[in-house]
Amino acid sequence: MEKKDFNVVFGNSLKSEREKRSISQSELARLCFKDRQYIHSLEKGDITPTLYTVYIICKELGVDVSALFPTE
């Protein structure tokens, strides 16, 4: 899988999990010590998060890391 494809799949999974919990991008950003634009860019697949950022996001969403990663 190419990096861009990974970013898009990750971003779609992030958005889905965030919306399931009725959390806004702004609220998730605040919980993760990021800005809303960063969360938006992640969800669009424009950037690749660090492993630590993935950990913090998953912790705040209450999901296992595997929920955001491609199954391929």
Side-chain angles (χ1 to χ4, degrees), residues 9-62:
V9 171
F10 178 87
N12 289 337
S13 298
L14 171 57
K15 183 176 182 178
S16 175
E17 293 296 332
R18 179 182 60 75
E19 289 178 341
K20 282 182 194 175
R21 288 154 184 77
S22 300
I23 297 173
S24 68
Q25 287 181 341
S26 296
E27 179 66 10
L28 181 59
R30 186 186 65 75
L31 292 169
C32 297
F33 305 101
K34 301 290 183 184
D35 61 20
R36 189 206 58 81
Q37 186 61 41
Y38 181 82
I39 300 299
H40 174 76
S41 294
L42 283 176
E43 289 184 356
K44 296 277 290 175
D46 293 337
I47 58 175
T48 306
T50 66
L51 189 54
Y52 183 71
T53 298
V54 173
Y55 164 76
I56 294 298
I57 289 171
C58 290
K59 180 176 164 257
E60 295 303 332
L61 290 177

